[in-house]
């Protein structure tokens, strides 16, 4: 397993938000994290990347224990995170947004990686010198994913990447996820569970901070999962 999450627990004050979550993510595979509003999906991703330290449990990334590592170290070790709400630098150009990450992470062959990102999202090449803040919401989401890719992550972690985005760009983002899958591990929280299930190799359904269902691609039953999400 590339990412191994074991008995992960998280609290907000005295409220339990993650209750012993365990699952693994294999190299070059896509895992969908599903669950109703408030199930704990965002909390899980934030705990994984170190926005909040876990109350207990362990997170192993490529065999290394990162449970207590600060978020910048987890990023350096290979966790690329695109939070809900697209974190980009609005006052910097599209190109500067990407170049900063390429430089900070000292990736090998930055020119090749930059070309890969632009070929995945051609609009970023077209808008290279424009302010990030001038992009549409969907274009900013593409930039946010491009920035995460510029750190050459081992695991790309996406929190509802298509939320609130116009349909034409939703398609571009879905196509990009399909394209990236197989080249890196992807952990995907996605409200459109039909898409999430169609692209994922594995899935985990959370409810009230617990894993209530999980499985491999072959065992996925969309109706079954839908029932868990809509009850
Ligand atoms: P959504 O789909 O609405 O984003 P989610 O599955 O991502 O939901 P979380 O946002 O992780 O769920 O929330 C899990 C639980 O923790 C919920 O009960 C929520 O109310 C609570 N929670 C989330 N953030 C905080 C916070 N900052 N302070 C207190 N409680 C919080």
């Amino acid at each position: 397993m590339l990412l191994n999450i074991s008995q992960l627990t998280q609290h907000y004050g005295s409220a339990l938000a993650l209750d012993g979550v365990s699952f693994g993510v294999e190299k070059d595979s896509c895992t969908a994290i599903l669950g109703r509003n408030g199930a704990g999906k965002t909390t899980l991703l934030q705990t994984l990347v170190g926005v909040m330290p876990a109350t207990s449990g362990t997170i192993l990334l490529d065999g290394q224990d990162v449970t207590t590592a600060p978020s910048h170290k987890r990023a350096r070790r290979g966790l690329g995170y695109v939070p809900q709400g697209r974190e980009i630098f609005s006052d910097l150009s599209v190109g500067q947004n990407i170049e900063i990450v390429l430089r900070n992470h000292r990736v090998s062959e930055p020119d090749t990686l930059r070309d890969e990102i632009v070929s995945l999202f051609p609009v970023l090449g077209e808008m290279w010198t424009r302010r990030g803040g001038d992009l549409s919401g969907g274009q900013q989401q593409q930039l946010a994913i491009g920035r995460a890719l510029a750190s050459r992550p081992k695991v790309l972690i996406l929190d509802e990447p298509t939320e609130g985005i116009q349909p034409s760009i939703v398609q571009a983002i879905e196509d990009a996820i399909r394209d990236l899958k197989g080249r890196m591990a992807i952990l995907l929280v996605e409200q459109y569970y039909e898409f999430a299930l169609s692209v994922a190799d594995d899935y985990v359904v959370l409810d009230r901070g617990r894993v209530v269902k999980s499985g491999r691609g072959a065992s996925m039953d969309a109706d079954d999962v839908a029932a868990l999400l809509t009850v």
Side-chain angles (χ1 to χ4, degrees):
M1 287 288 173
L2 178 60
L3 184 64
N4 216 320
I5 297 151
S6 178
Q7 290 299 319
L8 204 61
T9 302
Q10 183 60 278
H11 288 81
Y12 292 105
S14 61
L16 188 60
L18 295 179
D19 185 5
V21 170
S22 301
F23 67 95
V25 177
E26 288 187 57
K27 194 170 174 280
D28 298 343
S29 74
C30 176
T31 299
I33 311 289
L34 306 168
R36 286 175 272 176
N37 287 348
K41 305 179 296 295
T42 296
T43 303
L44 170 63
L45 300 191
Q46 291 184 341
T47 306
L48 287 179
V49 300
V51 173
M52 309 178 268
T55 311
S56 62
T58 53
I59 304 164
L60 297 183
L61 174 59
D62 222 356
Q64 287 189 304
D65 190 336
V66 298
T67 316
T68 57
S71 53
H72 70 274
K73 289 226 168 106
R74 298 188 206 201
R76 239 176 239 303
R77 296 229 172 115
L79 293 183
Y81 178 43
V82 183
Q84 230 171 342
R86 310 142 208 160
E87 273 171 28
I88 60 152
F89 293 117
S90 312
D91 289 331
L92 299 186
S93 70
V94 168
Q96 286 167 330
N97 264 280
I98 304 245
E99 296 292 348
I100 280 182
V101 183
L102 290 171
R103 231 174 296 135
N104 279 351
H105 283 263
R106 297 191 193 94
V107 294
S108 58
E109 301 182 29
D111 296 344
T112 310
L113 184 52
R114 185 189 304 109
D115 290 349
E116 280 173 21
I117 293 167
V118 169
S119 87
L120 194 66
F121 296 123
V123 71
L124 299 183
E126 290 155 24
M127 311 277 268
W128 196 252
T129 56
R130 297 277 291 278
R131 265 180 86 251
D134 292 340
L135 271 54
S136 73
Q139 290 165 343
Q140 288 188 21
Q141 183 64 283
Q142 290 169 296
L143 177 55
I145 299 172
R147 277 174 54 83
L149 292 173
S151 67
R152 217 190 281 287
K154 291 179 183 155
V155 188
L156 179 65
I157 300 176
L158 301 168
D159 196 348
E160 303 212 358
T162 65
E163 190 190 22
I165 284 172
Q166 62 269 39
S168 60
I169 297 188
V170 167
Q171 193 57 55
I173 291 172
E174 290 186 359
D175 291 346
I177 293 170
R178 281 188 208 286
D179 192 324
L180 291 167
K181 182 178 109 94
R183 290 196 261 152
M184 63 191 67
I186 298 177
L187 203 50
L188 174 67
V189 168
E190 176 57 69
Q191 54 187 329
Y192 297 119
Y193 62 86
E194 293 92 344
F195 164 67
L197 288 177
S198 79
V199 76
D201 302 290
D202 303 281
Y203 69 98
V204 173
V205 183
L206 288 182
D207 188 34
R208 279 167 269 184
R210 308 186 96 163
V211 176
V212 291
K213 191 170 170 64
S214 64
R216 301 274 313 156
S219 69
M220 282 182 209
D221 180 330
D223 291 340
D224 216 15
V225 172
L228 282 169
L229 299 178
T230 52
V231 170

